[in-house]
Amino acid sequence: IVHDRAQVSRVAAQRVITALTRFNRAPGVVIPFASGEKSYDTLIDAVLAAEPAGLFFAGFPQEAAMIVKGLRARGSNATVFGTDTLAVADFWKLADAAGQGVIVPLAPDLTAWPEAKPLAARLAARGVNPTRAAILAYSAIVAWTAAAESAQSVAHGDVSTALGKTRFATPIGVFGFGADGEPTIPAYTLNVWRNGELVPVRPPGSTPPAAPAGAVGGPVGARRARWRCGRCDRQWRDEP
C-alpha cells in the first residue's frame, strides 16, 4: 500500500487496510512517500523487496506513472490498483505501456448499462435528459415505492425495514441491502487501462444478474401502478 501522505490518500489507504482485515487478509507493507520528488527509486526498492502480488496506490497520477514505470522496468508484474485520480489522460501519457492493466474504480456510467437503456429511452421520449443522476433518482423512487407497497405503509421505520429485508427490481438491476448494510448495486465499478482507454471490467452488454426468488416488483415495466389525482379524484394508470 503506497500513499503520498495527503489526508485523502491516508484515508483511502486506511480503508483498504480495513477492508483487507475484514476479509482476513494481511495488509502487507505500507509505504508513505513525499510527492514532487524527481526519483522514486528508493520507494521502488522497498516495493520490490516486499514481492507483492498487488499494489494499491493513493496519490497523484504523475507519481503513479513514475512508480509504475519503474516497477515494470525492473520486472515487477504486480497488479496496480489506484484511486480515481488515475482516471485521467495524463496518467496514460506519462506511464505509456507501463499503465496497461492498472485498475481504477469509477462511479458507474449507468447510461451504458444494458438494463438501464429502456428507462433512458422512456426518459428521453418525455424530454428528460437520461443522465446518471436522473436514472439513479428514478430507480430510487421505484425501490422506495416497492418497499412501501411491501410494507403496506409509508412510515419511515416500516419502509426502512422493508428496504433492509427485501430485494426490489429496478431499472438498474435488483436492488437491496446486504447484512452489512452495503447496497447490492455497487457505488463504483472497476475499470482497467487498455491501450490508452479505461475499459469497464464489467463490459457493456454483459448479462445482469437475475432477480433472486422473492424479488418484489418483477421485471421493471411489466407492472403498472394505479394512481389517483388529488384534485379531481380521477384514477388512471401510468408507468411506475
Side-chain angles (χ1 to χ4, degrees):
I1 297 174
V2 175
H3 67 83
D4 65 1
R5 293 194 178 103
Q7 175 65 18
V8 65
S9 300
R10 293 200 308 269
V11 170
Q14 184 56 53
R15 288 182 176 176
V16 170
I17 293 170
T18 300
L20 288 170
T21 302
R22 194 169 92 189
F23 289 98
N24 297 317
R25 298 294 184 92
V29 179
V30 179
I31 306 174
F33 69 94
S35 59
E37 298 291 336
K38 294 183 179 180
S39 171
Y40 289 101
D41 287 344
T42 301
L43 183 151
I44 292 169
D45 288 341
V47 171
L48 292 172
E51 299 182 344
L55 182 147
F56 174 76
F57 178 90
F60 289 107
Q62 295 85 349
E63 282 85 10
M66 293 172 64
I67 293 167
V68 170
K69 287 184 76 171
L71 289 171
R72 299 296 182 247
R74 295 176 60 178
S76 173
N77 292 317
T79 300
V80 178
F81 186 104
T83 63
D84 57 5
T85 57
L86 306 190
V88 293
D90 281 350
F91 170 73
W92 180 264
K93 288 178 182 178
L94 295 169
D96 197 25
Q100 194 88 335
V102 172
I103 298 172
V104 182
L106 287 174
D109 179 11
L110 298 178
T111 60
W113 283 20
E115 54 267 42
K117 287 183 177 179
L119 171 60
R122 294 206 306 274
L123 291 175
R126 296 185 179 191
V128 177
N129 185 12
T131 62
R132 177 177 182 273
I135 292 172
L136 278 176
Y138 190 102
S139 300
I141 293 170
V142 169
W144 186 93
T145 302
E149 291 175 346
S150 175
Q152 296 292 297
S153 169
V154 295
H156 174 269
D158 296 336
V159 175
S160 294
T161 299
L163 282 171
K165 291 183 176 180
T166 314
R167 298 289 186 268
F168 303 98
T170 77
I172 56 174
V174 178
F175 176 78
F177 294 95
D180 58 359
E182 292 292 329
T184 56
I185 296 176
Y188 288 89
T189 57
L190 296 182
N191 299 263
V192 61
W193 278 107
R194 296 287 185 208
N195 302 319
E197 294 184 356
L198 274 173
V199 180
V201 172
R202 172 185 186 270
S206 61
T207 303
V216 174
V220 173
R223 175 174 66 91
R224 301 182 73 84
R226 184 183 298 275
W227 302 86
R228 182 185 297 274
C229 176
R231 295 172 60 187
C232 66
D233 203 41
R234 173 183 167 214
Q235 289 190 25
W236 74 95
R237 289 179 180 272
D238 201 352
E239 293 170 339

